[in-house]
Structure formats: C-alpha cells, structure tokens
Amino acid sequence: MSRGMLIVVSGPSGCGKGTILAEVLKDDKFFYSISATTRAPRPGEVDGVNYFFLTKDKFESLIKEDGMLEYAPYCENYYGTLRKPVEDMLEKGKHVILEIEVQGAMKIKDKCPEAIFLFILPPSLKELRRRLNKRGTEAEDVIEKRLNEAAGEISQAYKYDYAVINGDLDAAVEDIKAIIRAEELRVKNSKNNIDEVLENA
C-alpha cells in the first residue's frame, strides 16, 4: 500500500474552503485532520470530533517532544496540528487534508516539504466582499478588516504549489481532484506500482 499524501489547504475567510472540502471528503481516501487546542469546549463540541481538547501542560509537553506539526498561540490558548494522528493516517494510505492559515502552512512546509500546498482563491476581492456581506453575520468594519486580511493572505499564494479559483463549486472540486490524481501518478508516489509491475514479469 502506498503512503498517503499530506495536503495543506489555505485561503481567505469567505473563499469557500469548507464547502469545497466537504465535497472532496465524500471520497473515503481522504481524511480531514482535526486541530488540537487548549481552549475549553463550547456547548455541543465533542473531543476528537470538533477539536482535540488538551490541557496547557499536555500541549506544551507535545511541543517539547516534537509532537506538533505546527502550533500557534491565539487569545491565550494554543492551537495546532498533532503529528501522530496525521502520521497514522498517512501510513494507512489516506490522503490527509489540513485546512490551515498561511502562517501554520509555512511551518508545515518547513517540516514536511513533500506535502502538497493548495491555495483557494475567490474570483475577485469584489466577489469576496459580496459573499461576506451575504452571510449577514458581520458589521461593515469587520468585513473591511477581513478583506484587508484576505488581500495579505492572497499575496502569500505564490508560496503554494497550486492555486484554485472558487468561482464555480463543481469546477473547483474537479480541479482539486485533478491535482490530487496528478500527484498520485508522479513517479515518486508510484514506487509501489512500478515495483509491482517489475515483480510480475
């Protein structure tokens, strides 16, 4: 069995990452990596489903033991990606998807340069503004702040391997599937297939 691939997905708020990934994850060869945090669970949140909820001491001991692929402090809590569940799933041949912001993605790139880095783009900042307004959940000044953050994030897209524009959901999902299929067929990821052909002479 071939080892799975680590797929790191980033994109600004409102670009439709969650909707796209929900479609991709309907294929059981993919596994969505759940983040760990030291914040308390909110009502209805379940450990191991929404997050892995850890004590601060446990999180810090994992940092020291290199048990985190990446982490960052935010609002007096830690957030990060546990190494072991990711490694376990990769060994089982699953493609592991990390949905993560740019700063965390670049930390993953340092530790796992073989990972595939995908950036989801909105068709335009104008369209992103329309989508954020359509949500109707945030005030205008918050939306302006999000758009400024989005422009900064989008300028980092050059550090990724692929950029997928989410103008049409079905097309974006197909683009991502095509990227993954192409990566599966790269020689470095096809060693088992090549060996199998040679052994069955």
Side-chain angles (χ1 to χ4, degrees), residues 92-190:
K92 288 177 183 174
K94 296 276 189 183
H95 298 328
V96 177
I97 294 176
L98 294 184
E99 183 187 349
I100 199 166
E101 41 71 45
V102 174
Q103 183 186 358
M106 292 305 103
K107 288 181 181 176
I108 298 281
K109 197 164 197 177
D110 288 339
K111 287 192 177 184
C112 309
E114 76 286 353
I116 302 159
F117 292 82
L118 290 172
F119 198 94
I120 309 294
L121 291 164
S124 65
L125 286 174
K126 185 178 177 182
E127 171 61 14
L128 187 61
R129 177 191 293 276
R130 189 193 69 76
R131 290 179 188 179
L132 291 171
N133 276 320
K134 191 179 172 187
R135 284 180 177 178
T137 56
E138 290 160 337
E140 187 59 36
D141 60 328
V142 176
I143 288 173
E144 281 301 321
K145 187 181 175 200
R146 284 200 181 279
L147 286 167
N148 286 333
E149 285 172 356
E153 287 174 309
I154 290 167
S155 71
Q156 302 292 307
Y158 295 104
K159 296 176 180 176
Y160 287 68
D161 300 315
Y162 300 94
V164 173
I165 294 176
N166 183 21
D168 174 85
L169 175 61
D170 291 340
V173 170
E174 286 308 309
D175 285 346
I176 288 177
K177 286 180 178 177
I179 288 164
I180 303 308
R181 187 62 187 138
E183 288 287 339
E184 287 173 339
L185 295 172
R186 284 173 67 126
V187 167
K188 68 175 186 177
N189 296 322
S190 301

Side-chain angles (χ1 to χ4, degrees), residues 53-105:
F53 294 101
L54 306 177
T55 64
K56 192 174 181 185
D57 285 347
K58 176 64 176 171
F59 203 108
E60 288 177 343
S61 73
L62 284 164
I63 293 170
K64 287 176 189 167
E65 295 159 11
D66 197 28
M68 305 299 297
L69 282 176
E70 58 78 34
Y71 69 92
Y74 179 74
C75 294
E76 299 180 6
N77 285 300
Y78 286 118
Y79 291 82
T81 304
L82 292 164
R83 182 185 289 276
K84 189 175 185 313
V86 169
E87 283 294 333
D88 288 350
M89 285 296 163
L90 290 173
E91 285 302 317
K92 288 177 183 174
K94 296 276 189 183
H95 298 328
V96 177
I97 294 176
L98 294 184
E99 183 187 349
I100 199 166
E101 41 71 45
V102 174
Q103 183 186 358

Side-chain angles (χ1 to χ4, degrees), residues 12-76:
S13 176
C15 73
K17 295 186 298 294
T19 310
I20 290 172
L21 292 180
E23 290 300 312
V24 173
L25 286 158
K26 287 178 181 176
D27 185 332
D28 68 1
K29 72 179 175 183
F30 295 99
F31 174 81
Y32 185 84
S33 173
I34 300 162
S35 296
T37 182
T38 57
R39 75 159 171 78
R42 293 180 183 137
E45 286 185 331
V46 179
D47 183 44
V49 175
N50 304 96
Y51 282 95
F52 293 111
F53 294 101
L54 306 177
T55 64
K56 192 174 181 185
D57 285 347
K58 176 64 176 171
F59 203 108
E60 288 177 343
S61 73
L62 284 164
I63 293 170
K64 287 176 189 167
E65 295 159 11
D66 197 28
M68 305 299 297
L69 282 176
E70 58 78 34
Y71 69 92
Y74 179 74
C75 294
E76 299 180 6

